[in-house]
Amino acid sequence: MTTTHTTAAPAAPVPSPVEPLPNQLLTALGQHRMATTGQLQALLRPAVRRQTVNTPLNELRRQDLVDYTVLPRSRGMRAWYLTGDGVRMVKDFPALRGRPPYPITSTTAASLKTPHTLTVLRTHLAFVADARERGDEHGFLDWTPEVSPALGDGEKIITDALMHYTLTGPGQRTKLRAFVEVDRTTMSSERLASKLIDYARLWSYEPKLVGRNRPQPALPGPAWLRWYPVFPRILFVLTGGSRQVLDNRISDLQAMVAQHPLVATMSRTVPLGAAILDDIEAQGPTSDVWVPLSGGESRPWTELL
């Protein structure tokens, strides 16, 4: 009696849903423009050794997809960015479609961008770490730098970052959004406070029809309804000065809310807050470190009124 054994055909390989680390590094640099090795580790692989991130970065550099500039007075700390070839490669990555490229053409150009770009990412990392600890959802693609909503008449407001954050609890998910302004005390306090006027203009801006043949807007009402179901809260993060200097700048923001009629009207429905970056990092962004710009005691950013 002959026994016949049937060998099953090998199963087709199933693509992994997890992007390999080199792809994640390219995506993160495409999203955030620039990051140090330590920031990339904290963003993508917080539980591994630095070398796990450093090795693929160096390989990507050998492929001329990334390069770095050495930060001054940092004992050789590197800030990485995409080269022209790297920008061309990532422009069709699904996570980055629609993001305008901002190629950095030289180490000199990179060094001019590092202080602000790395401080904005430093702010993001505080939210990322807090979300991991709390079990909330906020990853490296939930923070979009340099968003430019239109104000009409060809004007735009450039916000340092748009944040998406999902609070999770028993049987409940709350999606929050925020425009984040990171102030390094490089502009006057009055100019910083005047940004609230720009946000109030964005909050109230409705496209006007000109001529009988112009199409009707897709949605009636303010233009921001095209992108957000609720107008994002506005968060100011301050650093680069003494405690007294930063407290004074927060007071000037509060004065703008109290004195400017359009800003005051916006503040009745849009949560506005300011906090000092050192406090956010030391205590966490969901601690009582945010000063409500419309008045009241400090509280978590999630509970601003």
Side-chain angles (χ1 to χ4, degrees):
M1 181 177 182
T2 303
T3 303
T4 303
H5 297 279
T6 303
T7 303
V14 178
S16 169
V18 179
E19 289 281 343
L21 180 56
N23 284 26
Q24 289 186 336
L25 290 167
L26 290 171
T27 303
L29 290 174
Q31 180 84 349
H32 298 285
R33 315 304 186 202
M34 186 179 295
T36 67
T37 310
Q39 287 178 325
L40 289 168
Q41 179 191 13
L43 203 60
L44 300 173
R45 297 291 190 276
V48 304
R49 295 183 302 116
R50 181 75 58 91
Q51 194 62 30
T52 303
V53 173
N54 209 32
T55 297
L57 282 170
N58 284 317
E59 178 58 31
L60 292 169
R61 185 169 185 258
R62 282 190 287 272
Q63 298 172 24
D64 197 30
L65 296 174
V66 304
D67 205 347
Y68 65 80
T69 184
V70 177
L71 301 183
R73 300 180 298 279
S74 68
R75 298 184 178 180
M77 183 182 296
R78 299 174 176 182
W80 297 86
Y81 58 91
L82 295 177
T83 63
D85 286 345
V87 169
R88 285 186 286 275
M89 172 172 280
V90 306
K91 68 182 179 65
D92 291 324
F93 281 17
L96 298 177
R97 284 176 189 158
R99 287 284 286 144
Y102 291 96
I104 298 173
T105 56
S106 67
T107 55
T108 300
S111 66
L112 295 175
K113 295 175 179 290
T114 50
H116 188 72
T117 303
L118 296 184
T119 305
V120 173
L121 182 50
R122 179 182 157 196
T123 304
H124 172 44
L125 287 171
F127 284 91
V128 169
D130 197 47
R132 285 180 181 140
E133 184 175 335
R134 291 168 47 86
D136 294 334
E137 295 177 13
H138 179 67
F140 75 99
L141 293 174
D142 294 322
W143 181 276
T144 308
E146 301 173 37
V147 175
S148 305
L151 294 173
D153 298 324
E155 292 186 81
K156 293 182 177 180
I157 177 174
I158 300 177
T159 184
D160 286 327
L162 170 66
M163 176 172 66
H164 294 264
Y165 193 104
T166 302
L167 292 169
T168 60
Q172 185 175 8
R173 291 167 53 84
T174 304
K175 295 184 178 298
L176 302 176
R177 299 161 195 83
F179 291 124
V180 183
E181 288 289 338
V182 179
D183 171 53
R184 297 183 298 114
T185 324
T186 55
M187 66 175 70
S188 70
S189 187
E190 181 177 356
R191 184 179 166 197
L192 175 67
S194 69
K195 287 196 169 186
L196 281 167
I197 301 176
D198 291 335
Y199 280 110
R201 291 174 59 202
L202 176 63
W203 171 76
S204 62
Y205 168 60
E206 295 189 25
K208 298 294 190 296
L209 297 177
V210 179
R212 287 180 295 180
N213 296 325
R214 291 292 296 272
Q216 293 288 331
L219 286 173
W224 56 263
L225 281 171
R226 301 177 187 178
W227 299 283
Y228 317 113
V230 177
F231 194 83
R233 57 195 62 207
I234 301 170
L235 306 177
F236 287 83
V237 177
L238 289 77
T239 188
S242 67
R243 176 72 55 166
Q244 184 62 54
V245 166
L246 301 182
D247 285 343
N248 288 343
R249 292 169 86 82
I250 292 174
S251 296
D252 290 344
L253 289 166
Q254 290 179 309
M256 180 63 76
V257 174
Q259 296 169 9
H260 194 282
L262 185 58
V263 177
T265 302
M266 176 183 69
S267 71
R268 297 186 190 115
T269 57
V270 178
L272 312 173
I276 295 172
L277 181 53
D278 285 346
D279 294 341
I280 295 173
E281 291 178 321
Q283 302 176 47
T286 47
S287 298
D288 295 338
V289 296
W290 295 89
V291 179
L293 298 185
S294 54
E297 297 297 321
S298 296
R299 62 199 66 185
W301 74 277
T302 54
E303 297 178 17
L304 291 167
L305 303 178

